[in-house]
Amino acid sequence: MKKFAAVFLSSILVLSLTACNDNRQEEVSTPATSTPAEESSSLSAAGDSNTEEGAVSSGNVLIAYFSVPETDDVDTVAGASRVIVDSEVLGNSQYIAQLIQQETDGDLFRIETVQEYPGTHDELLDFAYNELSDDARPELATQIENLDSYDVIFLGYPNWNADLPMPLYTFLEEYDLSGKTIIPFTTHGGSGFSRTIRTIQELQPDATVIEDGLSISRNSVPHAQSDVAEWIAGLEL
C-alpha cells in the first residue's frame, strides 16, 4: 500500500512539473503584443500604419502635419506626392507622421484648409507658387481643441519652393506654442529643410525648436520606417 502511494505521488509530481514546463514554454514563445513635387513618391510601401482614428496617445505628444497627396498618375521621376500603403493613398508627410505616431504613441492632427488643393501635379505646382508669391494665409479647417495638454509637438510638412507651405504660416501664426518643444520633420526632393526651421523659430520665438529634425527624401519615404525609429530613439523623449 505504501509502495502504491509513493508511486501515485511520484506520478502526480511528474505531471505537475510537465504542466509547468509547458506553460513556461508557451509564455516565452508568445510575442509581445522646394516644390510640391518635393513631397513625392509613387512607390508602394509595405507595413502597417496608424491613422487618426483610434490612435493611442501618450498624453503629451502631438504630431501635427500638412500633406497633399497627388491623385494623378505621375511617375516617380516627375514626382507624385503620395505613397501607397495597403492600397491606401497617403501624402508623404502623412505617411511619415504615421510612422512617428507608431514610435511615440502621440496624437495625430492633420492641418487641413478650407480651400482644396489641386490633385494634379502641374496644377499643384502652380497653385503653391502663386500662394507663396501672394504671401497667402489659407484659412484652416481643423483646430486643436486641447493644445494645453501637449508638451511636445512634431511638426511635419513638405518643402514647397524652399519654404514652408503657406498653411504652415497660418498654423504657426494662429497658435501660441510658447513653452512647448517643436520637432520639425519634412519630406523633400533634394532641398532638405532649406531655411524652414529658422522660419519656425522666428514665428514661435518662445518655443524650443529642435534643429535636429528629420529630413526624408521623396525616394526614401516608402522605406523610412527604420530611419524614423532611429531618429525618435535619438531624441530620448
Side-chain angles (χ1 to χ4, degrees), residues 57-63 107 146-154 176-183 206-210 237:
S57 172
S58 64
N60 70 339
V61 174
L62 179 69
I63 304 127
D107 288 335
N146 53 342
L147 182 62
D148 291 342
S149 64
Y150 299 108
D151 301 320
V152 176
I153 299 178
F154 287 86
D176 181 5
L177 306 180
S178 298
K180 301 183 186 298
T181 298
I182 302 174
I183 307 176
D206 296 321
T208 299
V209 181
I210 301 299
L237 296 176

Side-chain angles (χ1 to χ4, degrees), residues 5-169:
V7 171
F8 179 74
L9 290 174
S10 298
S11 300
I12 293 177
L13 180 59
V14 169
L15 290 174
S16 298
L17 289 173
T18 302
C20 290
N21 287 335
D22 288 343
N23 291 336
R24 186 176 305 162
Q25 290 171 357
E26 181 179 356
E27 180 180 347
V28 170
S29 63
T30 301
T33 48
S34 355
T35 64
E38 292 187 301
E39 187 200 17
S40 60
S41 175
S42 60
L43 301 176
S44 297
D48 296 332
S49 63
N50 289 321
T51 60
E52 288 84 345
E53 294 78 16
V56 179
S57 172
S58 64
N60 70 339
V61 174
L62 179 69
I63 304 127
Y65 68 93
F66 174 74
S67 190
V68 181
E70 293 177 15
T71 56
D72 56 357
D73 295 326
V74 181
D75 62 25
T76 305
V77 175
S81 300
R82 65 181 183 270
V83 62
I84 302 173
V85 181
D86 296 333
S87 300
E88 181 182 6
V89 178
L90 306 175
N92 283 348
S93 296
Q94 180 182 14
Y95 178 61
I96 299 300
Q98 292 185 0
L99 294 180
I100 293 172
Q101 198 274 341
Q102 291 178 23
E103 298 296 326
T104 64
D105 286 338
D107 288 335
L108 283 169
F109 174 78
R110 184 167 185 171
I111 301 170
E112 297 184 77
T113 58
V114 172
Q115 70 183 23
E116 292 186 11
Y117 283 84
T120 56
H121 180 74
D122 290 338
E123 290 181 5
L124 182 56
L125 286 174
D126 293 339
F127 196 96
Y129 181 78
N130 290 333
E131 274 196 338
L132 178 63
S133 299
D134 295 339
D135 196 26
R137 295 295 186 272
E139 181 181 354
L140 301 184
T142 52
Q143 303 293 326
I144 302 174
E145 297 180 356
N146 53 342
L147 182 62
D148 291 342
S149 64
Y150 299 108
D151 301 320
V152 176
I153 299 178
F154 287 86
L155 186 61
Y157 49 90
N159 183 327
W160 281 6
N161 301 297
D163 203 345
L164 293 172
M166 301 317 291
L168 264 292
Y169 279 90

